[in-house]
Amino acid sequence: MTLGETLERNGISRRGFLKFCVTTASLMALPPTAATAIAEALASARRPSVIWLSFQECTGCTESLTRSFAPTLENLILETISLDYHHTLQAAAGEAAELAREQAMHANQGEYLVVIDGSLPGPGSNPGYSTIAGISNLQMLEETVAGAAAVVAVGTCAAFGGLPVADPNPTGAVPVSKVVRDKPVINVSGCPPLPMVITGVLAHYLTFGKLPELDEYGRPLAFFGQSIHDRCYRRPFYDKGRFAETFDDEGAKKGWCLYRLGCKGPMAYNACATMKWNGGTSWPIESGHPCLGCSEPDFWDAGGFYKALSVPTGNIGGTAAVAGLAGVAAGAVGGYLSGRAKKDARTAHRKVTADELEQKL
Amino acid sequence: MMTPMDFLLLVRGPLFVVAVAIFMLGFGIRLVEILMLGRARNFAEPRGSAMLGGFRTVYRRFSPDPGTFERAPFDVVIGILWHVGFIVALFLFIPHVELIRKTFGIAWPALPNPMIDAIAVITLLALFAALVQRLRDPVKRFLSTPQDYLVWALTFLPLLTGYLAYHRMINPYPLILGLHILSVEIFLIVAPFTKLTHMVTAFVARWYNGATFGRKGVQS
């Protein structure tokens, strides 16, 4: 059964389907003609096999994907791909679940997509920190990815390590891209990522058979090309220098910029400001909270969520005081030594008397 | 490989601490050494207050005497322009005030961003004009040492990278923000050991001059 037929059976109208295709094309900055291509490709596509691996994660990515838009096309797309293995969504358990994964791998050798949420203990760390069915995450990733067409790292944990990689990183966690070297990896970061970004990437892959253009962090440029700051509706307040000082002051009530409250918008690249959450209802900054920069690497360690972006992460005040005192002490020693040298030189200086001079003459 | 974010976290964290420590240590050594050099005792009877005279001169030297202005109006105007611009951008830009507040616990009102933006442009142009003048004027060129050009570059770079970061002209943002912070760190590290020390010693020297005048009862 093709994807188009499945959608029809699920009550998705042709109009609704085309609307999704047009939205996807425009979101990914593709030309208008691409919408037709997406529609044709998706309608006739066979259900592609997807194996979803969950490692050191909180299931927030799956929650984001399945809950926020239900029941919508994005949701159905995930149902209509052949999701052959997914801890949270599959009915099978135990050995049957692992069997499903192996069967999907053998049946679609070289063609299936691997979606991963969560980071995994790296090659150098104890594999026992995270196992599934007695198999270490690293081993499962390597054997599953071996026959895959491409890998999609969903969520900041899979893309950049996320929370598990935060200092001191007790499990030696690494992102997927540190382990998978020989397959294309696309990072759909965010904690959690926007559902439309996940489905957009999958739709792009099903339509064109390749991954979209990526930025230097391996993220699709169409969604991660602009910063939160550039698209923020509070940006005029930033430019005017109007800032909320606390979460409930007059500035906050008037919707002023949240920079001073720690907003990481200037360094966070994501589509939240334009696509928003929960079916376009709102997004963190609109609800009065500064951006955490959750789609960026090391966002847990980036100097505190409520500290302004320009504030250094280290202990400057204490170090400056100690270094200043040390400098004063060293200067005092230096001053004393050169003072003594001056005094010694003065003492050692032999004064010539007039008589001595006359004797020499 | 180091990502732009790794770079930003490095310059915002350990490197900044190191730079501030070297700055404080260096200035501590230089200042105390200078002050401990001491001066020969003046046995003449004081005719006025040394302390008051000192502070008066620190303040008065901000405006150039007419002779200097007539001889070198360009140097006076450009010099004042970029020094004031630099200090305003440094101390009245919101992210900088935020840094000072989080570091030292004191803060003051800042200027709106577009004003700082305009001041930064003026400062950059003035600094550039100063460099052109230095290169074109035969006497100045002859007197200039490599350190003069180094100091110029170290002053120019924080402003330039700050401007580029504010206007997001280099992507990704963590890279240009990191470069801005790095340029400031180099400035901080080099400052105590070059003629940039005048940011502190100029006031000491002015005060000393003024104190001598004040003691002699001269209204300088």
Side-chain angles (χ1 to χ4, degrees):
Chain A
M1 190 187 289
T2 66
L3 217 139
E5 288 163 353
T6 318
L7 289 174
E8 211 168 294
R9 181 181 287 186
N10 280 295
I12 298 295
S13 67
R14 179 79 186 153
R15 173 182 283 268
F17 175 63
L18 286 175
K19 205 174 145 194
F20 165 78
C21 295
V22 169
T23 313
T24 305
S26 83
L27 280 173
M28 301 200 73
L30 296 167
T33 47
T36 327
I38 292 174
E40 279 170 15
L42 285 188
S44 57
R46 269 188 61 239
R47 299 183 346 138
S49 174
V50 170
I51 296 176
W52 185 304
L53 303 176
S54 300
F55 296 144
Q56 299 188 118
E57 46 82 43
C58 70
T59 316
C61 299
T62 301
E63 292 284 343
S64 163
L65 188 67
T66 56
R67 277 213 185 147
S68 53
F69 281 78
T72 62
L73 206 60
E74 294 90 323
N75 211 343
L76 278 174
I77 288 244
L78 255 216
E79 283 174 18
T80 45
I81 55 174
S82 178
L83 190 56
D84 293 327
Y85 181 85
H86 188 304
H87 287 166
T88 317
L89 302 178
Q90 71 195 8
E95 285 171 5
E98 293 310 306
L99 193 65
R101 181 172 64 88
E102 278 163 23
Q103 277 176 348
M105 282 162 58
H106 290 303
N108 305 284
Q109 192 67 22
E111 288 175 358
Y112 60 90
L113 278 174
V114 178
V115 178
I116 298 154
D117 61 340
S119 61
L120 60 153
S125 52
N126 185 344
Y129 281 126
S130 181
T131 60
I132 297 158
I135 308 167
S136 78
N137 288 170
L138 185 65
Q139 195 188 342
M140 184 177 277
L141 178 66
E142 280 170 346
E143 66 181 46
T144 312
V145 164
V151 178
V152 182
V154 162
T156 300
C157 292
F160 305 127
L163 174 59
V165 106
D167 191 50
N169 189 0
T171 62
V174 292
V176 170
S177 56
K178 280 262 169 73
V179 177
V180 180
R181 297 284 186 189
D182 53 346
K183 299 279 174 188
V185 178
I186 183 164
N187 286 330
V188 181
S189 66
C191 189
L194 284 152
M196 267 301 277
V197 179
I198 306 174
T199 51
V201 168
L202 293 178
H204 188 283
Y205 180 77
L206 293 175
T207 306
F208 301 107
K210 60 175 187 182
L211 297 173
E213 202 186 339
L214 306 178
D215 71 358
E216 68 273 10
Y217 292 128
R219 303 177 297 194
L221 261 177
F223 301 109
F224 296 91
Q226 281 179 318
S227 72
I228 296 290
H229 188 62
D230 285 339
R231 285 290 175 187
C232 184
Y233 73 105
R234 296 191 191 222
R235 177 65 182 271
F237 293 113
Y238 174 87
D239 290 334
K240 276 185 198 147
R242 307 220 154 167
F243 296 88
E245 304 284 339
T246 62
F247 285 101
D248 57 353
D249 67 0
E250 276 309 301
K253 283 171 193 161
K254 286 177 184 160
W256 289 357
C257 178
L258 303 169
Y259 182 88
R260 281 194 168 161
L261 294 170
C263 186
K264 304 293 183 291
M267 67 165 205
Y269 290 75
N270 207 340
C272 306
T274 43
M275 290 164 69
K276 300 194 180 181
W277 290 82
N278 300 319
T281 307
S282 180
W283 60 299
I285 288 177
E286 197 171 336
S287 69
H289 195 280
C291 170
L292 301 180
C294 75
S295 55
E296 300 307 303
D298 300 314
F299 87 100
W300 283 95
D301 295 329
F305 288 160
Y306 301 104
K307 275 189 187 171
L309 186 55
S310 62
V311 175
T313 56
N315 175 18
I316 303 294
T319 313
V322 171
L325 284 176
V328 167
V333 172
Y336 171 73
L337 288 178
S338 49
R340 210 171 65 174
K342 196 164 96 178
K343 206 173 158 192
D344 289 349
R346 199 174 281 153
T347 326
H349 182 73
R350 275 186 56 214
K351 283 178 181 154
V352 185
T353 61
D355 291 342
E356 281 171 336
L357 274 176
E358 270 177 16
Q359 278 170 11
K360 281 204 174 177
L361 289 169
Chain B
M1 202 192 80
M2 185 181 254
T3 64
M5 189 60 74
D6 293 336
F7 173 62
L8 177 65
L9 290 181
L10 179 72
V11 295
R12 272 181 79 195
L15 267 189
F16 200 85
V17 174
V18 169
V20 169
I22 293 175
F23 179 85
M24 294 299 289
L25 190 77
F27 262 112
I29 294 173
R30 299 291 299 240
L31 257 186
V32 172
E33 251 195 311
I34 291 169
L35 294 175
M36 278 187 65
L37 276 178
R39 286 277 166 174
R41 233 183 123 183
N42 190 343
F43 291 104
E45 200 180 321
R47 279 187 279 177
S49 163
M51 191 61 80
L52 259 180
F55 286 123
R56 196 165 49 226
T57 305
V58 168
Y59 169 71
R60 286 229 177 127
R61 288 283 191 275
F62 281 116
S63 58
D65 63 292
T68 309
F69 184 74
E70 276 156 26
R71 263 181 282 116
F74 177 87
D75 297 64
V76 170
V77 171
I78 290 290
I80 289 179
L81 213 54
W82 87 253
H83 271 93
V84 170
F86 190 92
I87 289 163
V88 167
L90 176 60
F91 289 111
L92 296 179
F93 182 46
I94 291 152
H96 298 167
V97 174
E98 216 43 39
L99 189 158
I100 293 161
R101 171 156 69 176
K102 279 277 157 42
T103 309
F104 300 107
I106 46 167
W108 43 79
L111 285 177
N113 290 342
M115 280 183 75
I116 296 292
D117 189 27
I119 290 165
V121 172
I122 294 168
T123 311
L124 279 168
L125 290 175
L127 267 172
F128 190 71
L131 179 70
V132 171
Q133 164 85 348
R134 186 185 281 278
L135 289 168
R136 285 185 57 171
D137 187 309
V139 177
K140 270 193 192 162
R141 198 172 56 228
F142 175 75
L143 288 173
S144 297
T145 62
Q147 201 198 97
D148 289 310
Y149 296 105
L150 173 77
V151 163
W152 181 89
L154 292 180
T155 314
F156 190 75
L157 278 177
L159 276 158
L160 180 71
T161 50
Y163 184 81
L164 292 176
Y166 175 69
H167 288 280
R168 315 177 65 75
M169 289 159 98
I170 292 177
N171 274 321
Y173 186 72
L175 176 66
I176 183 61
L177 182 64
L179 285 173
H180 175 59
I181 297 171
L182 182 68
S183 70
V184 173
E185 284 161 4
I186 296 171
F187 181 96
L188 288 175
I189 289 169
V190 173
F193 312 105
T194 55
K195 56 173 59 183
L196 288 172
T197 40
H198 79 265
M199 69 173 83
V200 175
T201 54
F203 297 97
V204 180
R206 278 181 192 181
W207 185 87
Y208 187 78
N209 257 344
T212 311
F213 295 141
R215 197 182 149 83
K216 287 179 179 167
V218 179
Q219 288 290 318
S220 168

